[in-house]
Structures are given as C-alpha cells and as structure tokens.
Amino acid sequence: MSLRELLKDKKRIVIKIGSSSLTHEETGRINLSKMEKLVRILTDIRNQGKDVILVSSGAIAVGKETLGLQKRPTEKVEKQACAAVGQARLMMVYQKLFAEYNQIPAQILMTKYTMINDISRANAFNTFEELFRKGVIPIVNENDTVSTDELEFGDNDTLSAIVSALIQADLLILLSDIDGLYTDDPKKNPQAEFIDYVEHIDTNLDNMAKDSSSLVGTGGMATKISAAKIATASGADMVIANGEDVSVISAIVSGENKGTFFKAHKDEKFILLDYISTKQYSK
Ligand code: GLU
C-alpha cells in the first residue's frame, strides 16, 4: 500500500482552515456554502469513527465585518475586541451547521500559557480526550482576546501542529490558499515544480521556506514548514492542500494524491514544551 493509501487508516485527524478560506475574498463576509460543506465533510469523517479536530481561524476577520470596520485592525486592543465579537459569531454559525447533521461541536480556546503551564496543559489534554469519548468535534482557536505578544502562538499553522502533538494526532491537514509546496513561485517562474512528497525537512527546504520570494502564495510557507517539523516529529503525517475546495479533505483521507505530503518521523527526543518556550524546533 502506498503512503497515501495509508491515510485511509488514520484515527485522529486535525484539520486547519484559515480566515481566507472561510470568507469571501470580495467582501470579507462569511462564505456560508463553504462552511456548510466543511461541516458536512467533518461530520462524515467523524461518522467513520475517527476523531476529528477543527482548528478554525476567522475570529478577527468575522469580528471586523460584524463591527463594520473598513479594514483589518492593527491595534492590539481593537484586534482583541474583534476577536471577542467574531469568535462568538463564528461558533454560532458552526453550531447551527453542525446541528443540521446532529453533530455536537465544542469550542476550545488556547494560548501558549495553556501549553506552558503543566496543569492547564493536562486539563486541555483531558478535555480533548473526554470530548472524543463523547463523539464531539472540538473547534480550536487561539484565545486572541486575552493572549499577549509574549505568550501568543500568533498563527494557527503553529497552533494546529501543537494541538496535533498534544493529542497525538496521526494526521494534520493544513488547508491553505495554495496547492502545496513548489520549488519556486509558479506565478513568476513557469519552471517551478510542485513538490508532492517530502520525506525529510532538510536545510534546503528550510532555506527555501525562509526565502519568501522563492515561494508561492501570500507567504506563510515558513510557518507551514515549522508546523510540519512539529507535527512530523510528534508522529503525525501532514498534508498541505488548497482549501479553495474543501472536498480535498475527503480526497486526502481516502488516500488520494492531493497537496504536499510530509511523512511522519517520530522523534523520541522531541519535547513539545521545548519548542513552545523557545519557538524554535530544530533537530
Ligand atoms: N486566531 C486568528 C483568528 O481567529 C487567526 C490566526 C491565523 O489565521 O493564523 O482570527
């Protein structure tokens, strides 16, 4: 069986979706048909008996829209206010859509402090496990409203990898606005080749990701590579795929060749806390 086909047997899957995938590009408002489809797909995977975790961004984006702001806030306090409004609205929409399929979602908001503090981390872990036993789909986001510069994850790529490591997920799917990893920016370089499989994250790939000019998309590839290091070292396979059509999730979990696949290499020396406190993970 190919590595891709083995993805059919995954038991605990984390799926990360970003704000740009959840909102309409033209207006910034919630893309309801996409959310509806996402919820149906997640429920279907849950119905196959797998544990499903959704890491969903969108709190600030939805809050900004709800409050009628013209542009994304730059000031911290305004961002935090937007997140407070938007997170509640986002969950309201998720609750409504999941209810149509008789699926119960839950909200888990985390900060770095949740992970650094031994008791909070144990509580978070126990809550996840209890929710899985009860058949619930946890929806995770950073607790933007209270997080501080020093103790914030800052991006949900990192957060989703850390959640994967915490709950020992065996697959992390990062939905992005690009198809996956390329050797160069395909918009600028027609010779750019798509990379569909990454066996090891070597320095070459690391440097490529750091040099944003050589990579496609809105940047953020460096955080995705960093997320891949955490996820694969903790024992999860990871796939970066285009979230434009969320049915790519079903395709990936049925073993189809979509996006860029990073193979898990469980590293016994990997200590999640080391990564979280230093924000650096290199083997
Ligand atoms: N936590 C932020 C939000 O929900 C998004 C962070 C990210 O997209 O990486 O708005």
Side-chain angles (χ1 to χ4, degrees):
M1 224 195 263
S2 75
L3 282 174
R4 287 291 194 156
E5 280 172 273
L6 288 174
L7 297 190
K8 284 186 205 161
D9 300 328
K10 296 296 178 185
K11 300 270 179 289
R12 188 166 279 188
I13 305 169
V14 177
I15 294 129
K16 180 255 165 180
I17 190 152
S19 309
S20 62
S21 303
L22 291 172
T23 51
H24 287 286
E25 203 184 330
E26 312 74 31
T27 59
R29 299 222 183 109
I30 292 184
N31 186 333
L32 282 172
S33 49
K34 203 186 239 186
M35 280 184 77
E36 204 157 35
K37 198 165 172 190
L38 172 70
V39 161
R40 182 158 52 82
I41 290 168
L42 298 183
T43 306
D44 214 28
I45 299 174
R46 171 69 230 156
N47 287 351
Q48 292 165 31
K50 299 172 196 289
D51 295 333
V52 177
I53 305 92
L54 176 66
V55 177
S56 175
S57 308
I60 298 174
V62 171
K64 167 199 156 265
E65 263 316 297
T66 310
L67 292 168
L69 307 182
Q70 292 308 312
K71 41 184 199 349
R72 196 177 160 91
T74 46
E75 254 185 67
K76 182 154 214 75
V77 66
E78 203 179 15
K79 267 197 234 168
Q80 295 188 314
C82 282
V85 171
Q87 180 66 31
R89 179 164 287 217
L90 198 60
M91 281 312 296
M92 183 188 74
V93 176
Y94 277 126
Q95 292 276 11
K96 183 174 183 318
L97 296 174
F98 273 112
E100 283 180 31
Y101 299 103
N102 231 358
Q103 171 62 51
I104 304 172
Q107 170 182 268
I108 298 194
L109 299 179
M110 300 170 67
T111 64
K112 239 188 199 183
Y113 183 79
T114 320
M115 295 300 300
I116 293 169
N117 181 278
D118 290 344
I119 299 170
S120 301
R121 189 176 65 255
N123 285 347
F125 172 80
N126 290 337
T127 305
F128 273 113
E129 290 293 338
E130 187 63 21
L131 289 170
F132 297 140
R133 279 192 288 274
K134 292 184 165 15
V136 172
I137 296 182
I139 303 178
V140 181
N141 198 359
E142 178 149 17
N143 196 349
D144 296 310
T145 304
V146 298
S147 63
T148 58
D149 291 337
E150 302 73 38
L151 283 179
E152 75 176 355
F153 293 109
D155 68 87
N156 279 1
D157 293 329
T158 308
L159 175 62
S160 60
I162 285 171
V163 167
S164 297
L166 174 72
I167 59 172
Q168 288 291 290
D170 46 13
L171 175 63
L172 167 62
I173 300 175
L174 290 188
L175 295 180
S176 172
D177 51 3
I178 54 166
D179 292 342
L181 210 55
Y182 284 87
T183 51
D184 201 350
D185 185 342
K187 284 188 199 128
K188 293 189 193 137
N189 179 0
Q191 312 293 321
E193 280 169 40
F194 185 71
I195 304 171
D196 76 338
Y197 178 64
V198 178
E199 168 76 39
H200 277 289
I201 301 166
D202 53 18
T203 31
N204 197 5
L205 196 64
D206 235 357
N207 293 337
M208 227 166 78
K210 278 179 198 138
D211 177 10
S212 55
S213 63
S214 73
L215 280 159
V216 64
T218 52
M221 203 40 85
T223 65
K224 290 188 174 56
I225 299 293
S226 168
K229 285 187 195 170
I230 301 173
T232 56
S234 75
D237 286 328
M238 186 181 115
V239 178
I240 302 177
N242 200 327
E244 176 63 31
D245 179 0
V246 288
S247 58
V248 75
I249 303 170
S250 321
I252 292 166
V253 297
S254 20
E256 280 178 43
N257 214 355
K258 300 276 185 195
T260 301
F261 178 98
F262 294 77
K263 188 176 179 303
H265 290 282
K266 198 167 169 57
D267 175 4
E268 298 307 335
K269 293 201 298 288
F270 172 80
I271 298 167
L272 186 55
L273 268 187
D274 285 354
Y275 174 81
I276 293 162
S277 25
T278 61
K279 214 170 196 284
Q280 289 288 332
Y281 175 64
S282 49
K283 272 205 257 180

